[in-house]
Amino acid sequence: MERRGFLTDSVFAAGAVSVASRDWLIGSPREDLSQHSRSTRVTMADVREVRALGDEFERLSHEFGSQRIRRHMVNYLRYDVGPLLKKSRTDTVGRALLQTAAEFTASAGYMAIDCNQLNLAERYYIQALALASAADSRHYGAQVMATHMGHLALYAEHPAEAVQLAEAARAGGRQNGEPLGIAVSWVVEARGHARMGDARACGRALSEAERHFGRSGPAHDSPPYLRYFKEAYLADAFAHCFRDLNQPKKASEYAMAALRDLPATHMRRRAINTGILAHANLSKDEPEEAARHGLEAVRLTRQLHSPRAFRRIARLRKRFDPYRQAPGVAAFLEQADGLVADAAV
């Protein structure tokens, strides 16, 4: 792997993702990453090691946030995974290595988003898509487009592009045998429609997501990169959609369902869904209950090193301004202001 492939920085622009996804859709990857030298041969043991470390980095990110962990993951990607891609291997090992490297690279992109570094995330996702193409993995390429690039577009306030990426992933992913992968793409599309205020289109997409999720088999039958998508994450997506559509009752119901099913170690996701509960309470003009959930969101976020989670608290805090005199709100404002100040330092 060329080192520049992991290091190039640029200003985030939705068009770069569009070009990469278009190239993938028509089957013309941006660069050929399948070439390798006649140096030391890579084995499946090497591939298993990369996957195991990638899984561990991801677990730590869920529990503690990405700010401190990301640099270790990037160093491993740069100095260990990159050189492996230049070594000799059989075709079978090569495809497995490229697929695993694609997943590892996409995880690095997700961590970059968690650190509010959207420009770096964009570069990682473009690289991950190229690696998936080199591995001839249309299924995983579709997931890079829908799950990763789609969520990047949402986070960067480009919801129309998120919808387009989800549609393109379904069109080019050859996913007939992976209902869970199709469900994920519909979730991203639903969130894009919700962000644009289109309740009808969002409802259709959520129905499709639920239908395909119901068709999926046991988690262990799904590819490793899809096994995270369980009931809790489906409920989380519904909660986000109904929050954006200003339907607080449904947003609360699904956020609570997500919190019931999320593992206790998924601290960042628990903080996010608790924040949705507070947002929904404010929309229902229940500031005291909102402050209670807000304080819990602050408590959870204090345990994280996640600029994205800090940013969510800052946005939630602004929504409390009209309720400064309500019972319990002053305590939340004090805690939220302290967290935001500490995060800035």
Side-chain angles (χ1 to χ4, degrees):
M1 171 65 63
E2 291 294 325
R3 182 175 174 182
R4 62 175 175 81
F6 288 128
L7 297 180
T8 301
D9 196 358
S10 66
V11 176
F12 174 79
V17 166
S18 295
V19 170
S21 59
R22 180 207 63 201
D23 289 345
W24 172 83
L25 190 60
I26 63 177
S28 55
R30 293 167 61 87
E31 55 182 314
D32 184 1
L33 300 174
S34 62
Q35 300 300 314
H36 48 82
S37 68
R38 295 181 178 274
S39 59
T40 308
R41 185 174 290 271
V42 181
T43 67
M44 277 296 185
D46 296 314
V47 176
R48 287 194 295 272
E49 178 183 310
V50 173
R51 181 174 294 282
L53 280 167
D55 290 345
E56 182 63 12
F57 282 128
E58 193 167 317
R59 184 192 69 78
L60 292 169
S61 173
H62 282 303
E63 187 169 359
F64 301 109
S66 304
Q67 194 166 31
R68 294 182 176 178
I69 295 162
R70 194 182 74 84
R71 66 177 179 269
H72 301 293
M73 186 178 198
V74 169
N75 282 337
Y76 184 75
L77 182 61
R78 182 184 305 165
Y79 297 116
D80 292 272
V81 180
L84 280 178
L85 293 170
K86 296 180 179 179
K87 294 183 178 182
S88 177
R89 65 264 181 162
T90 65
D91 287 345
T92 299
V93 171
R95 283 192 294 272
L97 175 63
L98 288 162
Q99 165 95 23
T100 303
E103 294 176 32
F104 201 110
T105 305
S107 291
Y110 184 83
M111 290 190 186
I113 291 180
D114 196 37
C115 295
N116 286 331
Q117 296 182 348
L118 306 193
N119 50 351
L120 286 176
E122 178 184 51
R123 299 302 305 168
Y124 283 125
Y125 290 158
I126 290 171
Q127 192 71 65
L129 192 59
L131 285 160
S133 293
D136 195 25
S137 178
R138 300 295 292 183
H139 287 168
Y140 188 65
Q143 288 309 297
V144 172
M145 286 182 63
T147 305
H148 295 294
M149 291 179 167
H151 278 105
L152 174 60
L154 286 169
Y155 195 71
E157 301 298 337
H158 293 288
E161 178 157 5
V163 171
Q164 292 169 0
L165 286 163
E167 291 172 342
R170 289 195 300 276
R174 304 170 191 164
Q175 289 179 293
N176 292 336
E178 288 190 5
L180 199 57
I182 300 173
V184 172
S185 72
W186 280 111
V187 157
V188 174
E189 178 166 338
R191 289 198 56 189
H193 289 307
R195 193 70 61 84
M196 292 185 286
D198 190 338
R200 180 174 296 182
C202 175
R204 287 197 301 267
L206 287 176
S207 294
E208 287 294 326
E210 200 165 30
R211 181 171 71 86
H212 286 285
F213 183 83
R215 290 180 51 231
S216 63
H220 61 264
D221 289 341
S222 300
Y225 56 82
L226 287 172
R227 291 175 189 168
Y228 78 93
F229 193 73
K230 300 178 181 179
E231 286 84 355
Y233 278 78
L234 185 64
D236 170 271
F238 274 66
H240 276 88
C241 287
F242 289 124
R243 179 204 63 185
D244 291 341
L245 291 171
N246 196 28
Q247 297 183 29
K249 185 175 184 298
K250 289 184 177 180
S252 291
E253 291 173 359
Y254 283 104
M256 291 176 66
L259 286 166
R260 282 195 301 270
D261 292 335
L262 278 167
T265 54
H266 283 219
M267 199 69 69
R268 180 177 53 215
R269 186 59 52 181
R270 297 189 70 83
I272 287 171
N273 278 278
T274 303
I276 291 176
L277 285 176
H279 186 285
N281 285 130
L282 286 179
S283 296
K284 292 186 289 184
D285 200 29
E286 300 170 349
E288 187 171 4
E289 187 70 3
R292 185 176 70 83
H293 289 305
L295 282 168
E296 175 64 6
V298 169
R299 185 189 72 80
L300 292 168
T301 302
R302 280 199 178 278
Q303 301 176 57
L304 297 167
H305 300 282
S306 168
R308 179 175 58 145
F310 299 150
R311 182 183 179 188
R312 282 187 175 246
I313 292 295
R315 287 181 170 179
L316 179 64
R317 184 247 175 273
K318 289 181 180 178
R319 286 185 53 84
F320 275 85
D321 280 340
Y323 301 96
R324 285 179 172 275
Q325 305 307 316
V329 169
F332 166 76
L333 292 176
E334 180 182 1
Q335 291 295 316
D337 286 342
L339 175 65
V340 172
D342 291 345
V345 172

